[in-house]
Amino acid sequence: MPLRLGATWASNTRLALLQRCSSLDVRETPWRPAELQVKCRICTTELSYVNKSTSSMLRHYRARHEHEVPETPRINSATRKQMLDEALLNFIVTDCQPLSIVESEGFRELVQVLEPSYVLPTRKTIKKTLEKKYEEERERVKLEVQQAVAVSITADMWTSVNMEAYLALTCHYINDNLQLCTSVLGVQYFPQSHTADNLAQVKRGMMADWAITNKVKCFVTDAAPNMIASTRQLQIRHSICIAHSLNLLVRKSCDQIPTLASIRHKARHIVTYFRSSTTAKEKLAQVQQQMGRPTLKLINEVATRWNSTYEMLSRLHDEKESVWVSLASLKTDLTPLTADEFDIIGETLIVLAPFHQATVELSEERRVSGSKVIPMMKMLYVALEHSASTLQTQAAKHLHENLKRRVTDTASNMESLSVLTLATLLDPRFKSLGFRNSFKLNDAIIRLRSECASVIGRTNEPLPGPSAEQLSAPTSGIYSALFVCCCLKSCNKMHIFCF
């Protein structure tokens, strides 16, 4: 009897082990109640369970499922709902979805298929959760910004599709890990007049709200007089956005050439026609397919969008055959561009290509980029020098002369700014190679030596030679001071630069 009990206990243990592995489910067949069968929970195979023997089950499990990846452990319902709620909130915030999406019939059906047991929160609940999440994130960013040694701010005015004005402020700083960080301080509705006094008052209030008034070292804006005057009232160093300066430089140079202005005017009318007429749009796509070209839409020039002139002329030049054929088969009074005008466009694109590349690089830069400005202006001058011999049309030559003159003046002004010159000298990629004016280079070196001497006088610490570790992550002495001096004065966010 004890032996029998022991065998029964062993058998039950083996069966419990199999069931605990989520492989088998014991059941009794309805047509033969005296005999039991088991059904595999993984592959639904039915096995014999004669005399309560688990041998067949073990053989099946070892042959079919022993080396399979185990199922993910189940999560309790409360934790699962919390995870789904957070995922839903992140989806709404990341993709800028409206809160009403939780009431959308199609979205609710999708969620029901994906997770039948999940009950979507209401729009009101989502709003409350979002407000709570915003406050938590705002406090976290505020604490991080307040821990920064110094910050720079970019400011710009935006207009919504409903013609409502907003003032946006973005903060740039270096954290404790020497990483460049960017945080949006706010996008505030600005219904009042855009005077320097009103702009200064709103900016001052936003800086006080984030407790960084005494840490702001520079304001970067466009060249609008009210923006410059408002920063002057705040008594903070001001710098004009470099990419915006390049944009103005190109536009002013193009506007001074009547022939090029006339071509741009005709190009805008052609592009507007193909973008506003359904018949013209379909005809252009049909012609492009017949010519074996990719179906591309024409790009229109927008005064407030950088590089839009270059992009409009470039797309129109690439699709000139398709545009010619389409206009010839359409009933329109538009005058197509001639072959000579397309020759002018081609040479204009050669002249403008370096400026397009420079603007794209500055706009996409996600690291400290103040040290790039002076070398980039020098490379633009060199590129203009190289393209001079390839130009044949008078319009392109005049554009080349205008740009060369303006680049020279702009580069000269930038080589006089201490912030840019110090950043360039301290960048091991450029040092003195980016300067065109040797006298201003010498002035910058003298200024750097003077600043180094002042740092040494304040620290009163011995200055050992730099090691590889110090160069990669400076933490003390003059190397740290110079590194922070360069980094804190050279920041950018998308297309806006701050120093």
Side-chain angles (χ1 to χ4, degrees):
M1 190 70 173
L3 181 60
R4 184 182 179 113
L5 288 175
T8 304
W9 175 84
S11 178
N12 292 338
T13 302
R14 296 171 70 189
L15 180 58
L17 176 62
L18 291 172
Q19 290 181 329
R20 190 162 57 248
C21 292
S22 301
S23 297
L24 302 171
D25 185 18
V26 180
R27 66 184 183 87
E28 185 175 3
T29 57
W31 58 89
R32 300 184 68 176
E35 296 185 7
L36 297 178
Q37 287 187 337
V38 290
K39 183 177 182 180
C40 178
R41 293 179 179 175
I42 300 177
C43 64
T44 68
T45 302
E46 294 185 354
L47 304 171
S48 174
Y49 189 46
V50 181
N51 298 327
K52 298 184 179 180
S53 173
T54 60
S55 300
S56 60
M57 297 183 251
L58 287 173
R59 286 194 300 269
H60 173 79
Y61 180 78
R62 289 170 181 170
R64 297 285 187 89
H65 311 302
E66 186 173 12
H67 300 290
E68 292 182 357
V69 179
E71 294 182 358
T72 305
R74 295 183 178 181
I75 306 175
N76 63 69
S77 57
T79 306
R80 177 66 175 169
K81 177 171 174 53
Q82 183 179 1
M83 291 173 56
L84 292 173
D85 288 343
E86 292 180 359
L88 175 62
L89 189 63
N90 291 334
F91 162 69
I92 293 176
V93 173
T94 304
D95 292 347
C96 296
Q97 296 292 335
L99 301 183
S100 59
I101 193 172
V102 296
E103 300 173 352
S104 170
E105 182 178 353
F107 182 75
R108 297 179 71 90
E109 291 178 357
L110 174 64
V111 173
Q112 183 65 25
V113 172
L114 296 175
E115 188 68 31
S117 61
Y118 178 58
V119 179
L120 276 170
T122 63
R123 180 176 178 175
K124 185 176 180 181
T125 303
I126 287 291
K127 182 179 180 180
K128 290 182 179 179
T129 308
L130 185 61
E131 292 174 350
K132 181 181 178 181
K133 191 74 173 178
Y134 166 76
E135 293 298 333
E136 294 175 355
E137 186 67 14
R138 188 177 188 277
E139 291 300 319
R140 184 192 67 79
V141 174
K142 188 175 182 179
L143 179 62
E144 185 177 281
V145 171
Q146 291 175 354
Q147 292 176 348
V149 178
V151 301
S152 296
I153 292 181
T154 57
D156 196 10
M157 293 297 300
W158 300 84
T159 304
S160 68
V161 293
N162 296 325
M163 300 304 296
E164 296 175 339
Y166 292 86
L167 176 63
L169 261 65
T170 308
C171 179
H172 312 269
Y173 55 95
I174 304 293
N175 62 12
D176 295 336
N177 298 324
L178 297 180
Q179 294 177 340
L180 178 63
C181 302
T182 299
S183 300
V184 178
L185 302 185
V187 182
Q188 185 167 327
Y189 178 52
F190 203 91
Q192 56 266 47
S193 177
H194 298 179
T195 62
D197 294 335
N198 292 336
L199 288 170
Q201 181 179 358
V202 175
K203 291 177 181 178
R204 188 180 294 110
M206 295 181 72
M207 290 189 298
D209 185 36
W210 286 81
I212 57 172
T213 303
N214 298 327
K215 294 185 178 183
V216 179
K217 302 303 179 183
C218 183
F219 248 101
V220 179
T221 67
D222 55 22
N226 55 349
M227 281 290 190
I228 299 176
S230 65
T231 306
R232 190 180 300 115
Q233 290 186 16
L234 296 173
Q235 297 182 350
I236 299 175
R237 175 187 291 174
H238 177 265
S239 179
I240 297 177
C241 168
I242 304 301
H244 184 72
S245 299
L246 286 179
N247 178 59
L248 292 178
L249 185 149
V250 172
R251 288 194 175 279
K252 289 180 179 179
S253 299
C254 292
D255 292 340
Q256 291 180 348
I257 305 173
T259 303
L260 187 56
S262 175
I263 292 175
R264 290 167 55 197
H265 180 73
K266 292 177 64 176
R268 283 195 296 268
H269 278 281
I270 293 174
V271 173
T272 302
Y273 173 68
F274 277 100
R275 293 184 65 89
S276 59
S277 172
T278 305
T279 304
K281 185 186 303 182
E282 293 177 353
K283 186 62 179 179
L284 178 61
Q286 180 183 356
V287 172
Q288 289 173 335
Q289 292 177 0
Q290 292 175 351
M291 299 179 67
R293 301 182 58 86
T295 304
L296 299 174
K297 296 181 180 179
L298 300 183
I299 302 175
N300 210 344
E301 183 182 33
V302 182
T304 57
R305 192 161 63 88
W306 303 340
N307 282 346
S308 61
T309 301
Y310 177 87
E311 292 172 354
M312 177 187 70
L313 296 178
S314 178
R315 179 62 58 82
L316 200 57
H317 186 267
D318 293 340
E319 301 297 326
K320 59 181 179 182
E321 292 87 358
S322 303
V323 173
W324 272 337
V325 175
S326 299
L327 288 177
S329 58
L330 292 169
K331 296 180 179 180
T332 176
D333 297 333
L334 286 176
T335 303
L337 293 169
T338 64
D340 293 338
E341 289 173 331
F342 272 113
D343 291 339
I344 295 176
I345 292 177
E347 293 191 353
T348 300
L349 294 175
I350 295 176
V351 177
L352 295 181
F355 294 87
H356 171 73
Q357 296 173 3
T359 305
V360 171
E361 182 172 350
L362 293 178
S363 302
E364 293 180 347
E365 180 63 72
R366 295 186 179 275
R367 294 185 293 273
V368 174
S369 53
S371 59
K372 274 188 174 183
V373 176
I374 292 178
M376 188 169 291
M377 298 303 299
K378 181 178 180 179
M379 293 309 299
L380 288 175
Y381 183 87
V382 172
L384 289 174
E385 287 284 332
H386 289 169
S387 63
S389 59
T390 63
L391 304 179
Q392 301 297 329
T393 61
Q394 290 298 319
K397 291 180 179 179
H398 291 164
L399 176 62
H400 176 273
E401 294 173 359
N402 293 343
L403 288 173
K404 188 176 179 180
R405 183 180 66 255
R406 293 181 184 276
V407 166
T408 302
D409 297 339
T410 304
S412 177
N413 295 333
M414 291 180 178
E415 289 182 5
S416 301
L417 298 177
S418 59
V419 171
L420 297 181
T421 56
L422 291 179
T424 304
L425 287 174
L426 291 171
D427 195 322
R429 299 173 297 176
F430 309 120
K431 296 185 179 180
S432 62
L433 298 177
F435 291 82
R436 292 187 60 245
N437 191 314
S438 58
F439 296 102
K440 293 189 177 182
L441 171 60
N442 293 331
D443 293 341
I445 294 176
I446 294 173
R447 193 180 302 114
L448 178 60
R449 289 174 177 171
S450 176
E451 188 159 336
C452 290
S454 64
V455 172
I456 295 173
R458 290 196 302 268
T459 57
N460 292 323
E461 296 179 0
L463 300 175
S467 63
E469 183 178 357
Q470 287 174 320
L471 289 175
S472 60
T475 55
S476 61
I478 187 173
Y479 308 105
S480 175
L482 292 179
F483 182 83
V484 173
C485 175
C486 174
C487 290
L488 292 180
K489 294 178 181 179
S490 308
C491 308
N492 80 301
K493 173 62 177 175
M494 291 189 300
H495 59 274
I496 305 176
F497 278 75
C498 56
F499 305 96

